[in-house]
Amino acid sequence: MTTDRHEATVLLTADLQEESEQVQALAHALNLPHHALDPVRLLSRNLLSILVHLATVSASAAAVVDAADPPTGAHLRALARIEQAQQALLSAGGSMATVLDQLTSPDSTITDAAGLAQAGRLRAGALLISASAHLGAAAAALRAAPPG
């Protein structure tokens, strides 16, 4: 790995670690009780945050592929973990979207919108913890990459 690629890998490792921490912070926030007057708006903001993280993680996957030519085992392990994080983020977003659909359906007979919103947030929070762990593991795999 050239010096430029090594420096890119070091920066990518730091970015993945930071993203892992941000996803974990979002998961923690989702697990907190809320007293929102509008659960639909709250879930919409949460879904937006998840989608932003998904975009960031997807960009990181592209950067891992670009950082190694040819790819090393460490890069391939990091990429596999990033892909697992993407799957967890997609599932968290899907959980939020399902709850939003239930809350906004004109035929909805839901009597406890706040409870349903909190259940959706808890499910998404658990999936985000998984995504955060995979991102941390991806960063660890890149730290193990040979310097070049």
Side-chain angles (χ1 to χ4, degrees):
M1 193 175 346
T2 67
T3 301
D4 289 341
R5 289 201 186 263
H6 176 68
E7 289 173 11
T9 299
V10 169
L11 290 173
L12 179 57
T13 301
D15 288 347
L16 283 169
Q17 188 61 47
E18 182 180 339
E19 187 65 17
S20 172
E21 292 166 6
Q22 289 177 9
V23 169
Q24 187 174 31
L26 177 59
H28 176 70
L30 291 177
N31 289 326
L32 296 175
H34 66 87
H35 304 287
L37 297 176
D38 186 355
V40 170
R41 180 169 282 158
L42 175 67
L43 285 174
S44 293
R45 284 189 304 232
N46 296 152
L47 178 57
L48 178 60
S49 294
I50 290 169
L51 293 173
V52 167
H53 286 296
L54 180 60
T56 302
V57 170
S58 296
S60 295
V64 167
V65 170
D66 187 50
D69 185 24
T72 67
H75 287 90
L76 294 174
R77 284 187 295 281
L79 186 59
R81 289 305 202 125
I82 290 170
E83 289 171 351
Q84 290 171 323
Q86 287 173 313
Q87 290 173 4
L89 286 163
L90 281 171
S91 294
S95 175
M96 288 284 197
T98 298
V99 172
L100 278 167
D101 183 52
Q102 291 171 339
L103 289 172
T104 59
S105 172
D107 301 329
S108 178
T109 58
I110 294 170
T111 57
D112 184 12
L116 179 61
Q118 187 61 23
R121 288 166 46 96
L122 291 172
R123 276 193 304 276
L127 290 162
L128 291 176
I129 291 293
S130 174
S132 174
H134 287 302
L135 292 170
L142 287 179
R143 270 190 225 89

